[in-house]
Amino acid sequence: MEIFYDQNKNLVKLSFRKNEWNQEAKHVLVICQYKNQWLLTVHKKRGLEFPGGKREENETIIQTVYREVMEETGGIIDSLQWVAAYQVFGEEPFVKDVFFARISQLDPKDDYHETAGPVLINGDIMKMRWDDSFSFIMKDDVIKYCVTSIQTELLSQRKG
């Protein structure tokens, strides 16, 4: 388990073990790749970030992942893998599940909800995320630990 403070000075506990807490995730963060590029969205207030959001009533967490990726990027998920979960202890504590999704296609949309649509990034996302155009969400340690875990897994698959 990793314990740290986020950009808003909230305590965060990140676990790579399923069902670490008794609290069910009500939010998702989806780290996406499309044709070996990082797929992000442009949140109209926060800037560049991976897609994600809140689970709606009567929706499973997996349904939330597919809906959020489609709404914010037009992305069709080809494969999906659970990566981690984290608790944020702010004014209203919550748990968020993190997934890694490979996207098979991007369908253009007229409306990307609260975002300005998809952005593909080629390169070292771990360095690029510090740019002012990126959301505060991209700058906290959840991204560092989860992207590093995904990259390690992808490297292992290539060697295997």
Side-chain angles (χ1 to χ4, degrees), residues 11-105:
L11 177 66
V12 177
K13 293 182 180 180
L14 171 72
S15 176
F16 291 93
R17 289 180 16 186
K18 277 197 168 207
N19 304 314
E20 181 76 36
W21 302 286
N22 291 330
Q23 189 178 0
E24 189 176 16
K26 295 193 174 153
H27 303 262
V28 298
L29 170 66
V30 190
I31 299 171
C32 298
Q33 278 194 340
Y34 174 69
K35 296 185 178 179
N36 295 318
Q37 297 176 80
W38 298 107
L39 172 62
L40 289 85
T41 189
V42 183
H43 189 279
K44 291 178 181 174
K45 294 180 181 172
R46 296 188 298 254
L48 289 165
E49 61 189 26
F50 288 114
K54 293 180 184 177
R55 191 173 85 192
E56 294 180 354
E57 192 175 331
N58 298 320
E59 186 176 57
T60 69
I61 206 73
I62 300 299
Q63 289 169 328
T64 304
V65 168
Y66 280 83
R67 177 181 52 75
E68 289 289 349
V69 169
M70 173 52 76
E71 283 179 358
E72 296 182 1
T73 69
I76 305 293
I77 295 174
D78 182 49
S79 67
L80 184 67
Q81 176 183 340
W82 182 90
V83 176
Y86 64 100
Q87 285 183 304
V88 178
F89 297 90
E91 285 182 30
E92 293 181 34
F94 63 89
V95 172
K96 187 180 280 194
D97 277 340
V98 182
F99 292 87
F100 174 59
R102 289 192 181 273
I103 306 301
S104 60
Q105 71 184 57

